[in-house]
Amino acid sequence: MGSRARRGSCALRPEGPQVAAAAAVELGHRVGTELTRYQVEGRTEPHTCLNEAVVELRTVRAALAHAAADRGLHIASNRSPITGPVAPAPLAPGPRYAESMSLFRALDDEQSACACRVHIGVADPREAIEVSNHLRTTWLPTPTAPAANSPVLGRR
């Protein structure tokens, strides 16, 4: 999830680490930084019940939104790169991100997309392949298409 300036503005603000730290008071390990300072990462625990996952996701997002609002910001979760100056994006602190920059450089310079990822565990290997194939052929093209060539990348 990314942080952005006042409502209606698409200006990026590199305050992700501060928003994450403020939200961590309530969320603990369920929040952290992401690659760029524009981003925060909200996390849920593993769930076997969809309704419980939804409740926790809403709780995490609400805490992040509150922490951002306290700074005059809003969070956004979108699958295509967000607007504003994106290259090079200011990286969040930490050895993981420093190593990523040393290995990938230009790829990291363009990491301004904000997303909601869902990890799904399937115990049976054959069933996992079937689920993966179904998602890839049936559902993946829809969310991927708008991200392929963002109409807002780098716009102000």
Side-chain angles (χ1 to χ4, degrees), residues 15-28 31 63-64 66-68 70-71:
E15 297 180 42
Q18 294 89 342
V19 171
V25 172
E26 177 180 345
L27 298 174
V31 66
L64 286 169
H66 181 76
D70 285 349
R71 297 189 132 58

Side-chain angles (χ1 to χ4, degrees), residues 44-153:
T44 66
E45 299 296 331
H47 291 278
T48 57
C49 172
L50 181 59
N51 289 335
E52 291 173 5
V54 168
V55 167
E56 187 178 14
L57 181 59
R58 286 182 177 156
T59 299
V60 169
R61 288 185 60 98
L64 286 169
H66 181 76
D70 285 349
R71 297 189 132 58
L73 304 170
H74 296 272
I75 60 171
S77 181
N78 62 324
R79 62 184 169 245
S80 61
I82 52 183
T83 60
V86 294
L91 295 185
R96 176 181 175 210
Y97 305 124
E99 180 182 16
S100 179
M101 181 54 119
S102 72
L103 293 172
F104 303 114
R105 296 225 180 257
L107 292 175
D108 284 353
D109 284 347
E110 297 176 355
Q111 291 302 315
S112 60
C114 300
C116 178
R117 291 187 300 255
V118 177
H119 298 263
I120 300 172
V122 181
D124 178 74
R126 287 183 187 268
E127 186 177 5
I129 290 170
E130 288 178 28
V131 168
S132 178
N133 286 340
H134 177 73
L135 290 173
R136 185 174 59 246
T137 58
T138 305
W139 295 102
L140 191 58
T142 303
T144 302
N149 188 10
S150 173
V152 295
L153 179 61

